[in-house]
Amino acid sequence: MDEVQVVVAHSERATLRVGDVFLKVDADRARLDLEVEAMSLAPVPTPEVLWCRPPVLAVAALPGTTLGRLGGPSTGSPAAWAAAGAAIRKLHDAPPPPRPGQAGRDVLALAAELDDECEALVSHGVLPADLVTRNRQVAEAALRPWTPAFTHGDLQIDHVFVEGDEVTGIIDWSEAGRGDALYDLATFTLGHEEHLDDVLAGYGRDVDLDVIHAWWSLRSLLIVRWLSEHGFDPFAPGCEVDVLRSRM
């Protein structure tokens, strides 16, 4: 019998692996429906949906491996990173879904959330004031108008699979929707700044690097406390707090 492997689990959802099948358990049915819809619309390789019976979605495993993980060493050739950039560009060029995703939050609401979180980080002694202040300044560049694109919304490095120099699939589409394309690029290269040029070479379009840096700061500021409260360690080497320190 195959073992049950817990891939990730917290109070909102969990992902289990049994052999070549991944089971995503999510109490939010709308989020599962959105994920299935996004995978059907995305013009890039995605996992095969085996069945969906809320609160569980079953998908097939993808061939290949990821290019690394946040806080760990990166793998893959520059060509593989460029291939990921090309796949991301293909996604962003597709007609965007009607609904906003994680990358499409209202700018004014996002700024207010960011200010509240920065205040909490300092008042609760989670991070030093100078680190928070500096990264809040950097993050300001992300709070601007953007052209809606088809965005993944949670394009972490371990959500993109490659085999050789080809992308075999992208997983975890629950945050997909209309949004800022640079949010995806920043999420994918978070903690792996050394590969940003390779990704942009494959992406094939000029982007504002100040906005990429801004999203690195903004995403990290917003998630440090959540990670700490849900059993993850944003202070581990190469993770979110180190990303914030790199902007000093």
Side-chain angles (χ1 to χ4, degrees):
M1 177 180 291
D2 291 313
E3 294 183 350
V4 176
Q5 175 190 358
V6 179
V7 178
V8 63
H10 48 78
S11 60
E12 294 181 5
R13 65 192 95 163
T15 300
L16 311 175
R17 180 170 187 170
V18 185
D20 289 333
V21 176
F22 284 88
L23 302 174
K24 298 192 69 174
V25 183
D26 194 328
D28 187 339
R29 175 166 187 160
R31 194 157 49 199
L32 279 183
D33 291 342
L34 187 152
E35 179 158 11
V36 173
E37 178 186 31
M39 287 192 288
S40 72
L41 296 174
V44 295
T46 61
E48 177 189 359
V49 175
L50 302 176
W51 48 266
C52 183
R53 303 184 190 117
V56 182
L57 167 65
V59 298
L62 290 169
T65 59
T66 67
L67 289 170
R69 60 179 178 82
L70 183 62
S74 59
T75 59
S77 66
W81 284 87
I88 297 169
R89 170 69 182 274
K90 188 174 183 180
L91 174 67
H92 291 166
D93 283 347
R99 291 174 290 189
Q102 181 72 2
R105 287 172 289 173
D106 176 78
V107 170
L108 293 179
L110 185 59
E113 179 185 354
L114 178 61
D115 288 338
D116 290 344
E117 189 61 27
C118 287
E119 181 180 355
L121 287 168
V122 175
S123 64
H124 295 168
V126 180
L127 294 175
D130 61 339
L131 183 64
V132 172
T133 299
R134 170 56 182 158
N135 278 276
R136 175 61 183 86
Q137 293 169 346
V138 173
E140 185 67 25
L143 303 173
R144 87 282 179 229
W146 38 265
T147 301
F150 192 151
T151 54
H152 180 279
D154 190 23
L155 200 62
Q156 299 178 54
I157 186 175
D158 53 1
H159 290 167
V160 179
F161 283 72
V162 298
E163 194 167 49
D165 296 334
E166 295 185 5
V167 173
T168 57
I170 301 176
I171 65 171
D172 286 355
W173 292 82
S174 60
E175 308 292 349
R178 299 170 70 90
D180 179 2
L182 299 194
Y183 180 93
D184 273 354
L185 289 170
T187 302
F188 184 64
T189 55
L190 185 77
H192 290 286
E193 186 171 355
E194 73 277 10
H195 288 293
L196 178 59
D197 287 345
D198 296 327
V199 173
L200 294 182
Y203 194 70
R205 177 187 292 168
D206 290 336
V207 303
D208 189 334
L209 294 181
D210 287 342
V211 176
I212 296 287
H213 299 160
W215 276 122
W216 286 341
S217 291
L218 198 157
R219 179 182 171 91
S220 298
L221 286 169
L222 287 182
I223 205 169
V224 164
R225 284 200 310 140
W226 185 94
L227 290 170
S228 298
E229 293 167 359
H230 288 78
F232 303 99
D233 185 7
F235 291 86
C239 292
E240 285 80 4
V241 175
D242 273 356
V243 170
L244 295 173
R245 289 171 179 151
S246 71
R247 297 300 106 196
M248 297 296 286

